[in-house]
Amino acid sequence: MGMAAADSQFHVLAVDDSIIDRKLIERLLKTSSYQVTTVDSGSKALEFLGLHEDDTTNPNPPSVSPNNHHEVEVNLVITDYCMPGMTGYDLLKKIKESSSLKNIPVVIMSSENVPSRISRCLEEGAEEFFLKPVRLSDLNKLRPHMMKTKLKDQNPKQEKLEKQEKLEIQQEKADFNSPKEQEQEEQQHHQEQQLQQQQQQSSNSNKRKALEEGLSPERTRPRYNDIATVAL
Amino acid sequence: MESRTLRDQIAAMRQSFFDEGILDSQFTQLEQLEDRDNPNFVEEVLTLYFRDSTNLLATVEKTMETEPTDVAKVDRILHQLKGSSASIGANKVRNEVIKTRELWQQGNQEGAKAAFMELRQEHDTFKAKLEPYFQQLRQAGPVQAAMRPQGQQGGH
């Protein structure tokens, strides 16, 4: 298709050696209005991302550079953990160790609930760990991670704003109603509204999808109710 | 009207699968992923599943009977089968896989072989039940067609 749809659609790369699970995750992702590419192995995933297992990143990659060509820009990688050859964990590591790919959020899926496995993956930089079978409600957690990357790419100022907001949320949590906070809050409210507008433009308009997450999952302040539809 | 009775039959069949524990809520998740553009998604997934599971079961049986036995291979395949059965909501089959795998992992090969026979039985029963279910679903046609106002339907 080759549409430069970077503004309106997120592209997810799904990796799973099971054909059934690939079909499932593809349908789940498409239902959530994401563009999807599925591959059946970690090495194929790296190939798609423009990185080769044995080599270091090619400084002049052929047509598949994620930063230059919208067609293969990947906003999130979701991968099974247990795969023959390269496991999901290995793939996660390779992505996080790559200077060109490390900012791509990675989510791990596994049919087995092994706490040490989960913490290992999170420590290595995975954004989420989903237990299989994955459900639609799990996928609602993906959007904030992809939004973060989009905003970073679009405008370095947004990144600053984002960080500022995170700090302020923490401050707010610590000390709710001091006058100083009120002032900061008002300032922030204004900035957030700008951000919201950005988000509105860049998020898709599928009515079925709930925009309940807003910028980040921790956000619970009432003012988001007017853009967010009801959470599941 | 014929199609209405058929739909009731289908609904009853479907409910029995849940009541008997053959299917669990994951199957409902699959149903929810169907829409106008993907009206046969569930059947497609189940077809893929059965193609896969039939092969896997055959491989397990063969590998179990081969000397020297590739223990790790059987475990891997059972793990795969467990995963795919869980993904489609095949509750009983999944449980049988888990049972078989546990015995195998404990080194109880004879016990695992017996459990495997039960697994196979459960799987075949599952297949035998789901296939006519989908056949009837296709016969009944897309839901929109059946939702005609009462007046247009003939007598029962």
Side-chain angles (χ1 to χ4, degrees), chain A residues 13 16 24 29 67 91 145 149 174 186 196:
Chain A
L13 177 64
D16 201 314
L24 205 57
L29 289 165
N67 294 319
L91 176 60
H145 300 301
T149 331
E186 273 160 52
Q196 277 179 35

Side-chain angles (χ1 to χ4, degrees), chain A residues 1-194:
Chain A
M1 283 190 182
M3 296 203 308
D7 295 326
S8 56
Q9 264 208 317
F10 290 121
H11 183 194
V12 178
L13 177 64
V15 191
D16 201 314
D17 61 317
S18 157
I19 186 169
I20 288 140
D21 288 347
R22 275 201 306 281
K23 189 163 173 83
L24 205 57
I25 195 75
E26 180 187 52
R27 191 84 272 279
L28 283 167
L29 289 165
K30 283 188 170 162
T31 299
S32 307
S33 300
Y34 300 127
Q35 216 182 320
V36 190
T37 300
T38 59
V39 293
D40 64 7
S41 72
S43 44
K44 288 200 185 135
L46 289 176
E47 219 178 287
F48 187 82
L49 293 166
L51 186 70
H52 294 277
E53 234 182 296
D54 309 321
D55 319 332
T56 48
T57 321
N58 185 344
N60 288 311
S63 55
V64 288
S65 158
N67 294 319
N68 300 334
H69 295 259
H70 290 298
E71 303 90 276
V72 292
E73 181 185 359
V74 171
N75 304 112
L76 186 132
V77 174
I78 183 165
T79 177
D80 187 25
Y81 183 93
C82 277
M83 296 188 292
M86 195 186 297
T87 65
Y89 178 78
D90 300 328
L91 176 60
L92 165 67
K93 271 194 89 171
K94 294 235 185 243
I95 291 173
K96 293 302 167 185
E97 283 166 3
S98 151
S99 49
S100 60
L101 304 178
K102 67 181 178 200
N103 288 322
I104 300 178
V106 181
V107 169
I108 310 276
M109 306 179 279
S110 177
S111 56
E112 289 171 333
N113 190 351
V114 182
S116 57
R117 176 185 294 184
I118 298 174
S119 42
R120 215 161 113 241
C121 289
L122 295 176
E123 276 162 29
E124 194 60 41
E127 306 289 343
E128 303 274 352
F129 191 101
F130 293 155
L131 283 178
K132 281 175 153 185
V134 174
R135 303 191 152 201
L136 257 180
S137 51
D138 293 321
L139 295 197
N140 292 332
K141 298 179 188 165
L142 297 184
R143 191 161 285 267
H145 300 301
M146 290 189 269
M147 297 293 296
K148 257 194 296 198
T149 331
K150 273 281 181 200
L151 294 175
K152 270 190 191 142
D153 290 342
Q154 282 172 9
N155 192 346
K157 224 198 267 181
Q158 301 297 2
E159 190 185 342
K160 231 179 136 181
L161 227 73
E162 174 102 347
K163 288 193 177 150
Q164 199 177 336
E165 280 176 30
K166 277 210 165 121
L167 280 171
E168 290 184 14
I169 292 174
Q170 278 157 15
Q171 280 173 355
E172 256 187 53
K173 279 182 178 166
D175 187 355
F176 191 64
N177 254 331
S178 80
K180 186 180 179 193
E181 243 89 82
Q182 295 281 23
E183 202 188 307
Q184 278 176 349
E185 205 173 281
E186 273 160 52
Q187 229 180 40
Q188 198 188 324
H189 180 60
H190 185 63
Q191 287 163 354
E192 276 169 6
Q193 281 181 332
Q194 284 179 339

Side-chain angles (χ1 to χ4, degrees), chain B residues 62-74 104 109 113:
Chain B
K62 199 175 88 176
T63 314
M64 275 177 163
E65 296 307 322
T66 310
E67 298 283 343
T69 316
D70 189 341
V71 178
K73 183 174 181 183
V74 171
W104 187 258
Q109 289 195 6
K113 285 176 185 175

Side-chain angles (χ1 to χ4, degrees), chain A residues 17-21 23-24 27-28 31 82 111-112 132-137 208, chain B residues 25-26 29-30 32-33 35 38 41 44-45 48-49 52 79 82 84 86-87 101:
Chain A
D17 61 317
S18 157
I19 186 169
I20 288 140
D21 288 347
K23 189 163 173 83
L24 205 57
R27 191 84 272 279
L28 283 167
T31 299
C82 277
S111 56
E112 289 171 333
K132 281 175 153 185
V134 174
R135 303 191 152 201
L136 257 180
S137 51
R208 279 167 70 192
Chain B
S25 60
Q26 177 60 17
Q29 289 281 313
L30 296 186
Q32 286 172 5
L33 291 173
D35 59 21
N38 298 270
F41 176 70
E44 285 163 16
V45 177
L48 271 178
Y49 171 79
D52 196 46
H79 169 83
K82 185 193 81 166
S84 54
S87 290
R101 195 181 176 206

